[in-house]
Amino acid sequence: MVKYQNDPLSTTFQALADPTRRAILARLALGEASVGELAEPYAMSLPAVSKHLKVLEGAGLLARERDGRVHRCHLEPQAMRAAADWIAEYRRFWEAQLDQLARYLEHSPTPLSRIKENSDEPGEPET
Amino acid sequence: MVKYQNDPLSTTFQALADPTRRAILARLALGEASVGELAEPYAMSLPAVSKHLKVLEGAGLLARERDGRVHRCHLEPQAMRAAADWIAEYRRFWEAQLDQLARYLEHSPTPLSRIKENSDEPGEPET
DNA sequence: TTGATATTTAACCATTTGGTTAAATATAGG
DNA sequence: CCTATATTTAACCAAATGGTTAAATATCAA
C-alpha cells in the first residue's frame, strides 16, 4: 500500500548513503579487489559486506568477474556519472549562492556569528 | 547494538535518495516556496511533505524563514557541494573508464549487445 | 472572540535496511 | 575423495523510512 523507490537515481544515492559502501568504492578506485580483500578492513561479518556489495552492484556502481571461487570487484562508472550529472544541474545555482556568502563574509562587520547559527551543519567531505 | 549512520555525507546522500525530495529541490532551484506550494504537486498528504522537508533540512540542503504562519523554504547550497565534492573525487577515474568504453564501442565489431547485458540499469537523469 | 489557513506533532503501520549467526555452495588442491 | 578457502543464502532482529489520519499549534483577519 505504501510507495517505495526503485528508480535508478534513488538507488544510486541510496547506495552512496552509507560510509562503508563509500569506503569500498574508494578502495576500488585504487584497483579491483576480491570480496575478502574488501571485507578485511571492517569489523563487520563477511555476509554484511557481501550485502553491501550487492547493494553497490544493484546500483550499478560495482561489477564483478568471477575467477574460480574468487569474485574480483571493480568500479562501474556509469551510475556514478548519472548521480554527478544530477547534482551538476544545481552547480550554477549553488555556486552563485556561495559567491554571495563569500562576499557577505568579506564585507560584513560581524562576520561569522550570524552565518553559523543560520546554517545547519555545513558538512565537510570524508573518506 | 546495531550501528547506524549519522555522518553528514551519508545524511545528504540519504536525503537525495528519494524522488519526491529531489523534485522539491528542483522546484526550489527555481525560487523559494512555502510548504503548501511545495506540497501542492503531490498526491501525498501535507504531513508527508512536511517530513520530507525536515529530512532535507536535517541534511542541510534546505533552510526556511518563517514569515508569519508561512514557512518560506529555500535551497542551502553547502551540503550539496559536499556531496558533489565527494563524487568529483571519482571523476577522473570514471571518465577514464568511460573513455575506454567509448573506444571499445568504436572499434568493436559487435557493438552493443555485450555491453547492454553486462551493465545493470545505466540510469538516465530525472526531474 | 471566532473561524479559517498554514504547518507541525503524535500515534500508528508496513516495508526496508544493516547487521547477526548458521548453513549451504562452489572451487582448489592435496 | 577430503578438506580448506571464498562467497552466498537463509532466517532472524532492531531501527529507520515513508506513508497515513487525527489532533495540536500558531497566525491572520473579520
Side-chain angles (χ1 to χ4, degrees), chain B residues 4 54 70 73 79 97 99 107:
Chain B
Y4 294 90
K54 221 172 326 190
V70 35
C73 304
Q97 293 268 302
D99 283 356
H107 299 336

Side-chain angles (χ1 to χ4, degrees), chain B:
Chain B
M1 197 188 258
V2 199
K3 187 201 152 205
Y4 294 90
Q5 346 293 150
N6 61 339
D7 63 293
L9 207 41
S10 296
T11 306
T12 302
F13 280 128
Q14 180 62 45
L16 294 176
D18 180 286
T20 303
R21 288 194 292 262
R22 289 198 305 280
I24 288 173
L25 293 177
R27 165 65 186 79
L28 287 177
L30 272 52
E32 60 169 22
S34 71
V35 174
E37 284 165 358
L38 290 173
E40 193 269 331
Y42 305 105
M44 73 188 73
S45 68
L46 208 51
V49 173
S50 185
K51 278 191 186 177
H52 280 304
L53 295 180
K54 221 172 326 190
V55 170
L56 290 170
E57 209 173 2
L61 290 161
L62 174 152
R64 52 180 104 189
E65 279 145 46
R66 225 178 125 172
D67 181 20
R69 59 187 162 177
V70 35
H71 300 209
R72 301 226 129 258
C73 304
H74 58 91
L75 287 190
E76 197 65 42
Q78 319 205 38
M80 191 89 88
R81 182 165 71 165
D85 285 352
W86 188 87
I87 289 185
E89 275 187 41
Y90 296 86
R91 180 150 227 144
R92 235 180 349 164
F93 170 79
W94 50 259
E95 268 175 3
Q97 293 268 302
L98 287 170
D99 283 356
Q100 276 176 236
L101 180 64
R103 268 194 298 281
Y104 173 76
L105 287 175
E106 214 149 306
H107 299 336
S108 171
T110 59
L112 275 176
S113 43
R114 288 184 51 94
I115 307 295
K116 217 38 182 314
E117 71 185 350
N118 211 356
S119 72
D120 293 21
E121 44 170 67
E124 49 183 21
E126 193 209 4
T127 37

Side-chain angles (χ1 to χ4, degrees), chain A:
Chain A
M1 198 187 256
V2 199
K3 185 202 152 203
Y4 296 91
Q5 346 293 153
N6 61 338
D7 62 295
L9 206 43
S10 296
T11 306
T12 303
F13 280 128
Q14 179 63 45
L16 294 176
D18 180 287
T20 302
R21 287 195 292 261
R22 288 197 305 279
I24 287 173
L25 293 177
R27 165 68 185 79
L28 287 178
L30 272 53
E32 60 169 23
S34 71
V35 174
E37 284 164 358
L38 289 173
E40 193 268 332
Y42 305 105
M44 73 188 73
S45 69
L46 207 52
V49 173
S50 185
K51 280 192 187 180
H52 280 305
L53 295 181
K54 221 173 322 190
V55 170
L56 290 169
E57 211 173 3
L61 290 161
L62 175 152
R64 51 180 103 189
E65 279 145 48
R66 228 179 122 169
D67 181 19
R69 58 187 163 180
V70 36
H71 300 209
R72 303 225 128 259
C73 304
H74 59 90
L75 287 191
E76 198 65 41
Q78 320 204 38
M80 190 89 89
R81 183 165 70 164
D85 285 351
W86 188 89
I87 290 186
E89 275 188 40
Y90 295 88
R91 180 150 228 145
R92 234 178 350 162
F93 171 79
W94 50 258
E95 268 175 1
Q97 294 267 303
L98 287 170
D99 283 356
Q100 276 176 237
L101 180 65
R103 268 194 298 282
Y104 173 76
L105 287 174
E106 215 153 302
H107 300 336
S108 169
T110 59
L112 275 176
S113 43
R114 287 184 51 95
I115 308 296
K116 211 53 180 303
E117 70 185 350
N118 211 358
S119 76
D120 293 20
E121 46 170 64
E124 51 185 21
E126 193 209 3
T127 38

